[in-house]
Amino acid sequence: MNENIKEEKEKKEEKVNIKILYSTLTGTTKKFALTLKQKLLDQKLSTFFPQVFEISEYDPNDLQDESSILIFIIATLNGGPPRSAKTFSHFLTDLVNDQRIPQNYLSKLRYWIYGIGDLSYNEKYNKFARDVDVYLRKKGGNSILKKGLGNHGNKFEELLLHFNRFTDILVEKLKAILKPNEKLNENVILHNDKENDKDIDIDIDNEDEDEDDNFENDENDENQTTDIEDVEMLTPIMNKILTKQKYITVGTHSAVKLCRWAKAMLRGKGVCYKHAFYGIISYSCMEMTTSLACANKCIFCWRHNKNPTCTSWHYKQDPPEMIYQGSIKAQKDLIKPWKGVPGVTSDRYKDAFNVRHCALSLVGEPIIYPQFDEFTDILHENRISTFCVTNAQFPEKIESIKPVTQLYLSIDAPTKDILFELDRPLFPDFWERFLKSIENLAKRNERTVFRITVLKQYNDNFIQNYVDLIKLGKPDFVELKGVTYGGFGTNPKVSMNNVPYHQEIVKMAQEFMENDYMKENYGIACEHAHSCGILIAKKIFYKNNSWHTWIDFDKFFQLFQEKKPFTREDYMMKTPDWALFGSKEKGSNPKFIENMEERLKNKVTDIKSNENEKENQNEKENEKEKEDKN
């Protein structure tokens, strides 16, 4: 019995899946991929399981835990990747430049590369294939055989012969992986052929350590003729994941999702903190982004980092009018299913189709979209106000974008070390970018906000450091908001223990006000207990013994249409009493809160109804059992 178990275990260990990935221009790489697949099948080894995929069908996020051996048969176009491989190429570029990712990140990966290029391109001969090899090795990938570089300038028959000589060695290498004690076929020898391949000398071991590791991005090279914006931001797999999470993707890089507070306000079950602090009507608020890609991978991201990352825009660019029309349609499609839902009145349901606000804070970094200004202009022309949230990694954009209704910086950490740990930024100079973004925020004329997402035991005990950042950025408002627990995937660093209670956020706000600078320039204005949120506001918003943190939207659109410079003080409005700090409502608008006693009564009725239904079901099952026995 033990012998059989051992034998089965050995068979399982010997099984090798092989994924052959090709990127084709003229169909050559596809032909070669199918040729290699057949060659592997001809070995008639039950342990070989070759599969062929176009490279755009492969999710590069799988590289870290890839159990299959990857075979890349890839072409180079004018010194860069062909269109089908651009997403993969951008992923690897970001991966190798990402300081957060360790050098052994791809230590499990086994691969081999065969490139097809043209010697007439001189130093750019097979550059994409050579770069991919460097990228993978820099993060710990293991090449099972030295790469092969084929010259497409030769006749097809000569190129195929060259490819077959390499893959003969590859097959022997794969056999050696299956049976380490078995020697390679000594009759399979690859001779030097500099006409076909400058690096054709081959050693069975991985010997490419002399390859130039200082690779460059050739996208802006004067000889580059391919359009770098051909590549779409979302891979089909990413799109599928986001759709499953109830996003509606718009075009190739934007998305909309219905906020839970929009659903709550529709049903009369509460309001968003943005309603309490600023007067936003939650069910008329469209939460969206013009760019799903982000320059951070925050450990507390309640979107679970399923969106792509990037440090610059290198994607296909959808026109702003198309994004606007698609987003409005998506928002309305998300509202439609709520007709007839208990608590949703006909007036609120009808009103929800009138989109009056856009929260550019769904996920990603909306300001990197090159036509961001044109998009916000369209929103404002249609009397839709704008709240834009940015991760403070693109200071030049903070300085240059046109005014929005309210501009946020996510201030997730008070020090460089904590920001590195919490936000996991891609940029090596992330702290300098962070400080420059804060500095540029101080130059803005519209309403500005520091959003501090509070995680207990991480960033909740550094009041003076935060005050120093506030002095630099001079924001109109500082939002202290407890982190929203969203499961955080499998991240062991964040749990419910890091989610503060509202009383702890209140205490933190009060500690801010003990600072002389804060006491002189700011005050605690509002709270939203349900969101564990406190709003600290500049004293310029305290007029006639009342806080004026709400927004006069009609005045904002009037100022926008006049095309004249205006400031934050030109469109402020009095804050209602129920939203103020210390009110008995604690930020919950009584208009949108149902009678609690009635809700509890209905809940008890529902429980009893469910219990009776369960008893009836049990009786039916018992009767059926008796019948079956008889």
Side-chain angles (χ1 to χ4, degrees):
M1 182 69 177
N2 291 335
E3 299 253 340
N4 291 336
I5 293 174
K6 185 178 178 182
E7 187 178 342
E8 287 298 318
K9 185 178 179 182
E10 287 176 353
K11 285 182 179 179
K12 185 176 181 181
E13 289 174 348
E14 288 179 354
K15 177 180 176 181
V16 173
N17 287 315
I18 301 166
K19 293 179 182 175
I20 305 170
L21 309 179
Y22 69 89
S23 66
T24 192
L25 295 171
T26 60
T28 303
T29 57
K30 184 176 181 180
K31 291 175 185 175
F32 280 20
L34 294 172
T35 298
L36 176 57
K37 178 182 178 180
Q38 189 58 51
K39 179 177 286 191
L40 292 170
L41 291 174
D42 289 345
Q43 303 303 309
K44 297 183 178 178
L45 292 174
S46 60
T47 46
F48 279 1
F49 294 88
Q51 295 175 289
V52 174
F53 301 96
E54 210 279 335
I55 199 167
S56 64
E57 298 174 331
Y58 183 78
D59 185 353
N61 288 293
D62 292 339
L63 285 171
Q64 183 186 14
D65 297 312
E66 183 60 75
S67 59
S68 302
I69 293 175
L70 297 186
I71 308 297
F72 295 93
I73 303 177
I74 47 182
T76 295
L77 176 63
N78 296 334
R83 178 174 181 174
S84 61
K86 283 185 176 179
T87 296
F88 189 85
S89 174
H90 290 313
F91 178 90
L92 290 186
T93 303
D94 287 338
L95 180 74
V96 80
N97 289 321
D98 192 337
Q99 59 181 333
R100 305 162 308 174
I101 297 177
Q103 297 303 309
N104 64 347
Y105 183 75
L106 299 179
S107 60
K108 297 179 183 177
L109 178 66
R110 296 173 295 176
Y111 71 93
W112 179 65
I113 294 174
Y114 186 85
I116 297 179
D118 194 318
L119 273 172
S120 63
Y121 284 107
N122 299 318
E123 72 277 1
K124 291 188 176 181
Y125 170 64
N126 264 308
K127 188 174 188 307
F128 177 50
R130 289 187 284 115
D131 282 352
V132 170
D133 189 36
V134 172
Y135 297 164
L136 296 177
R137 284 192 288 108
K138 268 189 170 287
K139 288 302 179 182
N142 301 289
S143 179
I144 64 173
L145 190 67
K146 184 177 178 179
K147 64 185 177 296
L149 302 178
N151 178 18
H152 200 271
N154 289 337
K155 294 179 180 179
F156 178 80
E157 293 78 11
E158 294 176 1
L159 180 61
L160 181 59
L161 177 63
H162 180 265
F163 176 73
N164 281 330
R165 288 158 63 191
F166 264 95
T167 53
D168 286 344
I169 292 285
L170 175 67
V171 169
E172 295 301 311
K173 186 67 176 178
L174 291 171
K175 289 179 181 179
I177 291 172
L178 292 178
K179 298 180 180 181
N181 296 324
E182 182 177 308
K183 292 184 179 180
L184 293 178
N185 184 349
E186 295 179 357
N187 293 323
V188 181
I189 301 172
L190 203 60
H191 299 284
N192 187 22
D193 185 355
K194 291 184 178 180
E195 182 183 353
N196 282 329
D197 190 335
K198 293 186 291 185
D199 287 335
I200 203 165
D201 275 336
I202 192 161
D203 189 321
I204 297 306
D205 296 322
N206 181 19
E207 54 163 282
D208 271 354
E209 299 306 322
D210 61 338
E211 186 73 57
D212 180 15
D213 284 353
N214 297 315
F215 55 86
E216 298 176 356
N217 188 340
D218 286 329
E219 288 176 347
N220 296 319
D221 191 279
E222 61 182 0
N223 296 319
Q224 181 77 4
T225 60
T226 54
D227 184 359
I228 66 169
E229 294 186 353
D230 279 349
V231 64
E232 295 187 359
M233 180 180 288
L234 294 179
T235 65
I237 293 174
M238 286 179 185
N239 210 330
K240 185 178 180 180
I241 291 172
L242 292 171
T243 302
K244 188 175 181 180
Q245 293 182 348
K246 309 302 182 186
Y247 291 78
I248 294 182
T249 54
V250 178
T252 63
H253 52 76
S254 306
V256 178
K257 188 175 184 181
L258 194 63
C259 171
R260 73 183 183 94
W261 282 114
K263 304 170 189 176
M265 198 174 191
L266 270 172
R267 295 177 293 162
K269 294 183 181 292
V271 297
C272 174
Y273 77 93
K274 292 195 289 288
H275 177 70
F277 294 174
Y278 313 116
I280 296 299
I281 303 299
S282 304
Y283 57 67
S284 294
C285 174
M286 176 175 68
E287 192 172 12
M288 66 86 62
T289 184
T290 50
S291 170
L292 284 155
C294 187
N296 292 344
K297 271 191 173 293
C298 304
I299 66 172
F300 56 88
C301 180
W302 60 292
R303 302 299 190 188
H304 295 174
N305 299 131
K306 297 301 183 185
N307 54 308
T309 56
C310 75
T311 56
S312 64
W313 187 275
H314 45 239
Y315 307 104
K316 177 181 177 181
Q317 189 174 313
D318 297 330
E321 181 64 35
M322 184 272 277
I323 297 173
Y324 169 74
Q325 295 293 347
S327 298
I328 295 296
K329 181 181 183 303
Q331 178 73 3
K332 291 180 178 180
D333 287 344
L334 289 167
I335 293 293
K336 286 177 184 177
W338 290 89
K339 184 176 184 180
V341 172
V344 179
T345 64
S346 58
D347 289 342
R348 286 200 292 263
Y349 178 75
K350 184 178 179 181
D351 197 26
F353 285 91
N354 179 22
V355 178
R356 283 174 282 182
H357 179 72
C358 180
L360 289 149
S361 62
L362 177 64
V363 72
E365 187 62 78
I367 60 174
I368 66 170
Y369 169 52
Q371 291 179 274
F372 180 81
D373 285 342
E374 290 86 342
F375 180 71
T376 55
D377 278 348
I378 294 172
L379 291 172
H380 295 156
E381 287 164 4
N382 286 276
R383 298 185 67 81
I384 298 174
S385 59
T386 49
F387 278 15
C388 176
V389 180
T390 171
N391 288 308
Q393 289 296 295
F394 295 90
E396 68 287 352
K397 290 288 187 178
I398 299 297
E399 184 176 32
S400 66
I401 61 170
K402 287 185 177 180
V404 292
T405 311
Q406 189 158 286
L407 182 60
Y408 283 77
L409 288 187
S410 290
I411 307 298
D412 298 326
T415 68
K416 181 178 180 179
D417 290 343
I418 298 173
L419 187 67
F420 180 80
E421 183 177 12
L422 286 182
D423 279 12
R424 297 186 297 165
L426 266 68
F427 285 108
D429 59 340
F430 66 93
W431 184 248
E432 290 74 19
R433 287 174 167 273
F434 183 73
L435 294 178
K436 188 63 177 178
S437 294
I438 292 173
E439 185 180 320
N440 287 345
L441 191 78
K443 303 173 186 177
R444 306 288 301 190
N445 288 320
E446 76 268 57
R447 295 160 60 108
T448 58
V449 186
F450 272 16
R451 172 182 286 175
I452 301 176
T453 300
V454 181
L455 285 81
K456 287 170 63 176
Q457 303 167 20
Y458 276 106
N459 63 354
D460 56 338
N461 291 311
F462 302 86
I463 302 301
Q464 185 56 54
N465 298 84
Y466 281 121
V467 172
D468 291 341
L469 296 177
I470 290 170
K471 287 180 181 178
L472 181 64
K474 299 177 176 60
D476 297 314
F477 306 100
V478 177
E479 291 180 4
L480 299 178
K481 189 173 179 296
V483 65
T484 299
Y485 183 73
F488 304 125
T490 57
N491 183 3
K493 294 185 177 181
V494 183
S495 69
M496 279 299 294
N497 293 328
N498 303 115
V499 180
Y501 291 102
H502 181 61
Q503 296 91 323
E504 292 172 309
I505 299 297
V506 170
K507 183 175 181 294
M508 187 175 176
Q510 291 169 338
E511 289 173 353
F512 266 95
M513 301 319 300
E514 292 172 5
N515 180 278
D516 290 340
Y517 175 81
M518 296 298 293
K519 194 183 301 182
E520 181 181 351
N521 295 282
Y522 292 85
I524 302 178
C526 304
E527 69 178 316
H528 190 258
H530 193 114
S531 297
C532 297
I534 291 289
L535 181 68
I536 297 173
K538 263 185 180 176
K539 288 186 177 179
I540 60 171
F541 292 90
Y542 192 77
K543 291 188 173 183
N544 302 320
N545 297 317
S546 299
W547 283 107
H548 287 65
T549 66
W550 274 37
I551 297 170
D552 186 338
F553 294 105
D554 290 335
K555 186 65 180 293
F556 173 81
F557 293 124
Q558 178 188 332
L559 293 166
F560 171 78
Q561 290 167 358
E562 289 175 357
K563 307 291 184 184
K564 296 177 182 178
F566 59 91
T567 69
R568 52 185 58 81
E569 296 179 65
D570 295 327
Y571 57 102
M572 63 172 64
M573 193 166 77
K574 187 176 182 298
T575 310
D577 292 342
W578 56 263
L580 298 175
F581 175 66
S583 68
K584 64 178 182 179
E585 295 87 355
K586 295 187 179 297
S588 293
N589 188 343
K591 180 180 177 182
F592 295 99
I593 299 293
E594 293 178 350
N595 183 288
M596 293 302 294
E597 291 182 5
E598 188 66 28
R599 288 173 63 184
L600 288 171
K601 181 181 175 182
N602 291 337
K603 189 173 182 179
V604 170
T605 303
D606 290 341
I607 290 171
K608 288 182 177 179
S609 176
N610 289 335
E611 287 176 348
N612 291 335
E613 186 177 342
K614 190 173 181 180
E615 286 179 7
N616 292 334
Q617 183 66 27
N618 288 337
E619 286 180 6
K620 289 179 180 179
E621 289 178 358
N622 290 335
E623 289 178 4
K624 190 174 185 304
E625 277 185 22
K626 289 178 181 178
E627 290 177 3
D628 291 341
K629 286 181 180 179
N630 293 333

